[in-house]
Amino acid sequence: MTVMTLSLREARMVLERLVLVAGVDAGLVPSLRECALFSAALGPASFEGIEANMNALRGADPKRLKMSDEGGKVVLDGRGLHAWYGAHALVDLLCEQLHDGRRAEMRVTGFAEPAELHVAVPIGLRQGISVAIGFQDGEAFVTAERAANGADPVMDIILNGTPVDADLWWRLFDESDKALAPDSFESRRHAGALIVEADGRVIGRQDEDDTDLSMLTGADKVAAARENFEKAGQS
Amino acid sequence: MAPAVERRVEDAASAAAMRPASVLMKPSRLAAIQPSRISASRALINRAVAGRWRITRKSFAIDAVGKGIADYRIDTGTMMLSFPVYSFEPSPHGRTGRIIGRAWDMMGALVEGDMSAGDFETTRQELPKLYRGRATPGTLVWCRSNRSGRVFRKTQEALARGEQPAIGDIAETCYVMRNTGLDGNGTFGTRSFMALEPGHPLRSSLSAQMLCAYMMRVFAQDIIEHLAAQASPGAARLDPSVARFIGVGNGSALGLMFYVNNHPRLIDRWLGIREQSIAHASQLDLTDGRIDLLDNLVGQALHFRREDRVAYENATPSGVVADDLAVIRAALAELRDRRRAANAIAPTLADLPDYYGRPIGMDAEETLNSLSLELVPDFADALVDTLVVDEEPRPQPFMSVAVLRELVRSDYAWAFKLGIDPDQPGDYVWYKSVTAEEPRRGLRSEVPEGTVNLGLDLARMILALDRDLAASDARLSVARFLVANPERRAIVTRVQTLADCKYHSVEADIMSPDFVPAHMTRLLNVGIHGIDKARDFLNRNLRGVLFHGAPLPEDIASGTADRHWFNPSEPAA
């Protein structure tokens, strides 16, 4: 196994694209990406668990998440959602309790992959709280208190990077490419300093440009494009 | 008044003089911002000159067609950096200024320390792989550039004849090589800039990329002289005045819109320090000395615009800007005369528009604003040193729905005036192609089905959030609001994170056909990077010149650099 060290930026970019590939709502992409980052970089699942967790995100309705107060105790029910869908909400509600001067404690139930609730620990640290999670009879009991200053799990990744098996990484990298659009000559007209139309017509100024026109149109259209290009350059 | 109290009063006055976001954050206004001493390239040169950085060529083994290697060192006084160069024979195949290009005339890297032979070789092997490559430890930036075909060839031929290049040829582009990619900050395993230690010479934003670009310019001039010498034993070297005039080219396009969206705190901080500096300068008493300095600088800018040979598509022609700068000069002269004649209260720059006599355009206004920073150089430079910006989210789950809605209605008031329906997607989609991750923007009807929109549709996100907030109990916490409305988490976090910022978001619907992407490219390229003569193509691409007129390595090392080197005149024939 070859281990490589990823930067925070690389890890976030690929994980965010994988979340996009999973087809979740755009409004949840950054928070789920962070869950994936913490799961991969700090446990519980590490990068080996990323593919399975991403698959579990597909097709979910995040509005299934329910919160209730039972005798003053907050209960968060995932109703079958993957734990990452509840992790930020969990931390938010703990912060709210501490902010209101209450004991920060919750019962958390109904989540798939409940071990992944542990991503709430680094998420909490980033918001200044220390989260503790215990499991009993399939439910999680979560408490929090204000964290000592200085702990930022993201800064640790910024400074030291995060290790990953190289083969696994490139597999994830290739999978994340599915969030990018397939290339085509038509798509190539959506960027660049000049456009070569399907019939070889050139749109845009051709001064100071040494573009290989075969990159912008089919090989059979290059001659026409070159002719138009040179004609325009002389005018 | 005690100095501390006086300073607080001054600070408050400066803050009051800063322009509101509703004026500054319009795309056309942002596009008009001109280079200044806080632009990243100029700030780098100022730092290098002050520190007398030494740039040396350790080796240069390149053949007559341009194939080979070179190796440079940069000694900042506090750190040694290496700049290995891998040079190639130009090929017409796969050649384009776009990121999808596959042919480069040089590749290089900026690496901390005195690079070992092993790392030099590893970098040579890894660089061409780009997305599949891995930088060696301590690498800050990977870069690549291409020769500017015609101008490079003409310059090389002139030198080979023992002559200086014709200024008319050079002035077509003002560069002989053009940057086609600068990748750092974690990409390809490079160091994260947030990890750079306090005191690191390249710690402030964009410094590492700018030093890399400057080294491209150094290499471009070295190789053109080398190739001329290879062709003819009687070849000339570039005259220093011509060499200073030649900068390094830069092409940029749609990707900078993503940069603006992803770096709102940097954009806010940079615009904020510019506004603070302008406000500070505008409150100074305009003494004769200050008027003279400003008059010289405006005159220099006017001459620069008059000589500009670049043909712009939609950007303001330089002749128009020059005419407006002449109005400013006349106003400065009148202000000086009145001040002397009436012995009145010393005027300030804020009084200047009263003497214009006719309206002037935004480009000239922003030229004056940029030049006014030369009245407060220490103030502005101290602020530039604070450009180490953290873009991490700062959620506030205990905030009430009422407070969040107030924030949305006040900070994003512009979005409510656009008259758009949040449920109707915009006409355009911003996306990245799988080929080299090139950013593209196309009509929704033209992009392949399933294309993921990567553009920040801020206006629609804000309107949808406001609608959901309005339907919620105003006393509810944001924590509970987000349990019921999880799809609003991204926009809520963004709004809260940027609550203490003033200039974070461009006030426009970027999905609309009316939006001009080149406006944002111009803000980044011209204002923030400091690029001159930025020609526009199809309202989306810009090509311009960095370090135009900048000191040469020997000027920097000797401390003899002209502190007002920018807006250079064409060298004498």
Side-chain angles (χ1 to χ4, degrees), chain B residues 35 206 237 517 525 552:
Chain B
L206 300 168
R237 299 193 62 189
N525 270 183
L552 303 173

Side-chain angles (χ1 to χ4, degrees), chain A residues 4 14-15 25 52 70 73 87 97 105 140 158 198 204 208 211 214 218:
Chain A
M4 59 191 283
V14 165
L15 293 172
D25 186 278
E70 290 179 2
K73 282 209 168 175
Q97 291 173 48
E105 54 186 13
I158 287 173
E208 181 48 31
T211 295
S214 70

Side-chain angles (χ1 to χ4, degrees), chain A residues 4-10 12-13 17 20 25-28 30-31 34 62-63 65-67 69 74 76 88-89 91-93 95-96 99 102 126-127 154-155 158-159 169-170 173-174 177-184 186-195 203-205 207-212 215-216, chain B residues 92-98 100-101 131-132 134 147-150 173 175 178 184-190 192 194-195 254 311-313 392-393 395 397-398 431-435 437-443 446-448 451-452 454 477 479-480 482-487 489-490 535-538 540-541 543:
Chain A
M4 59 191 283
T5 302
L6 301 176
S7 70
L8 175 68
R9 180 177 181 170
E10 290 174 300
R12 274 183 169 161
M13 183 190 79
R17 288 181 184 168
L20 286 166
D25 186 278
L28 286 158
S31 56
E34 289 303 270
K63 284 190 176 260
L65 192 63
K66 287 291 168 211
M67 191 220 90
D69 279 315
V74 178
L76 190 65
H88 279 83
V91 172
D92 284 352
L93 292 164
C95 285
E96 182 200 43
H99 182 263
R102 289 181 283 153
R126 300 219 76 201
Q127 293 186 229
V154 168
M155 185 48 76
I158 287 173
L159 292 174
W169 171 250
W170 292 118
F173 187 92
D174 290 339
D177 269 356
K178 291 179 182 166
L180 307 177
D183 205 355
S184 67
E186 184 172 44
S187 172
R188 289 188 176 202
R189 293 174 200 128
H190 291 160
L194 59 84
I195 294 170
I203 299 173
R205 295 157 53 195
D207 55 327
E208 181 48 31
D209 196 295
D210 48 5
T211 295
D212 176 356
M215 301 182 74
L216 305 183
Chain B
H93 303 295
R95 192 177 183 85
T96 170
R98 289 167 65 168
I100 57 173
Y131 297 88
R132 298 277 169 174
R134 302 301 294 166
R147 299 179 193 173
S148 170
R150 193 168 53 237
T173 58
Y175 57 81
R178 186 173 68 223
N185 199 16
T187 309
F188 314 139
T190 52
S192 296
M194 283 302 291
L254 301 171
Y312 301 95
E313 270 182 28
E392 294 298 315
F398 36 81
Y431 65 100
K432 283 189 175 183
S433 163
V434 75
T435 302
E437 305 192 6
E438 185 179 55
R440 296 177 184 172
R441 174 181 182 260
L443 278 169
E446 291 179 357
V447 298
T451 297
V452 178
L454 300 175
S477 69
R480 289 167 192 247
L482 285 175
V483 171
N485 301 276
E487 70 281 14
R489 180 170 291 280
R535 289 180 298 165
D536 48 337
F537 298 79
L538 302 177
R540 62 189 186 193
N541 280 50
R543 286 183 188 171

